[in-house]
Amino acid sequence: MKILIPYDGSEAAAAAIHDLRHAGLPTDVKATVLSVADVWLPPPNDAPEPGPTVRSVAVERARTKALEFLAVATERAETGAELVRKQFPGWSVQAEAVADSPAWAVIKRSGKSDLVVMGCHGHSPISRLMFGSVSQKVIVEAECSVRIGRTRREKDGAVRILAGLDGSVDADATITAIAVRSWPAGSEVRLLTSIDANISTAAAVPTGPLANWLDDADEDATGWVSRMLNDASARLCSPGLIVSSTLVEGDAKQSLLREAETWAADAIFVGARGRGLFERLLLGSVSSAVAARAHCSVEIVRTKTVRSE
């Protein structure tokens, strides 16, 4: 498994690394800790420069300053990598620093990763107010799954996982993502489906795995939704997890957030793209809204099929 961990030295970034103890990850992991210097980096000395060559004092100072920022990012990446090594001594961990836009630096590397792990915000007060422009952009544009890590407790032990299901390809993939992990004994998974207008009318266009759960005798969505939940429960029982399910009515975003708070979930798993017509848009997306507002960690599962589109 290849994991990309953006690290900016903030408490949120450290919390995301700390939270990995509760993520059920395998022992065979290649982790890259990435620190980004948000500067223009000059080309190598032997590289041809576009346009006329300018050697003013201001230009030389800018070059020097950019290299200084990159050096700081390099040290920061090593600090983050050391945090990961201490927590997971069996992992293969490397540090990397680049000069780039923070969000795009992560997005560019996400195609070669299985999971991006990051904090919910960075240093700036404005990013905290807006959940974090970098985190939000990565959630929408990354080519792999993304985990927004939040630490809720200090001691190890069984974890509680809330999974939102809506019959979509990515939502179905969340079950596989949970099933293949190594969870502590006594860990629980609660499956939740919220009956809203989208779910109620989904049978009209039975795309993805939904067709597997439809029955001619169904009078409403509760029939196929119940079979979907039963199927997911069966797939999760083999790893020894304690599985339960619940069917509620209302907005999926609010239902997931409310259930996670009431049930004291340690993490929420949701698909990157649901059955909604506008899931590609940032505002209104279930995954981005839950990631922004949840009190616990949120893992947004993206399938390879979606990534290739």
Side-chain angles (χ1 to χ4, degrees), residues 129-248:
L129 179 65
M130 300 175 67
F131 163 51
S133 56
V134 174
S135 301
Q136 195 72 292
K137 192 169 188 64
V138 170
I139 286 174
V140 175
E141 301 289 347
E143 297 183 47
C144 66
S145 300
V146 178
R147 183 180 180 93
I148 303 299
R150 296 179 175 95
T151 299
R152 295 192 59 240
R153 58 184 180 174
E154 293 301 322
K155 59 182 179 179
D156 294 324
V159 297
R160 286 188 161 193
I161 306 150
L162 178 65
L165 301 182
D166 65 356
S168 63
V169 172
D170 279 1
D172 188 59
T174 64
I175 302 304
T176 300
I178 295 170
V180 298
R181 301 278 178 92
S182 299
W183 302 103
S187 293
E188 301 176 64
V189 179
R190 177 162 294 182
L191 309 174
L192 182 145
T193 296
S194 187
I195 302 291
D196 56 12
N198 189 275
I199 294 295
S200 298
T201 59
V205 186
T207 57
L210 190 154
N212 297 326
W213 304 307
L214 290 175
D215 189 292
D216 290 341
D218 289 341
E219 296 183 0
D220 55 36
T222 58
W224 72 262
V225 168
S226 296
R227 283 186 286 275
M228 175 186 68
L229 293 173
N230 290 336
D231 177 61
S233 296
R235 289 160 60 188
L236 289 170
C237 281
S238 55
L241 293 166
I242 301 170
V243 184
S244 62
S245 63
T246 181
L247 182 59
V248 299

Side-chain angles (χ1 to χ4, degrees), residues 114-116 118 131 135-136 138-140 142-148 150 170-171 173-174 177 181 268-274 279 285-292 297-303:
D114 300 303
L115 180 67
V116 172
M118 58 196 309
F131 163 51
S135 301
Q136 195 72 292
V138 170
I139 286 174
V140 175
E143 297 183 47
C144 66
S145 300
V146 178
R147 183 180 180 93
I148 303 299
R150 296 179 175 95
D170 279 1
T174 64
R181 301 278 178 92
I268 302 172
F269 276 63
V270 290
R273 286 181 59 194
E279 281 296 308
S285 163
V286 171
S287 57
S288 61
V290 169
S297 299
V298 177
E299 191 156 327
I300 299 141
V301 180
R302 182 173 276 108
T303 62

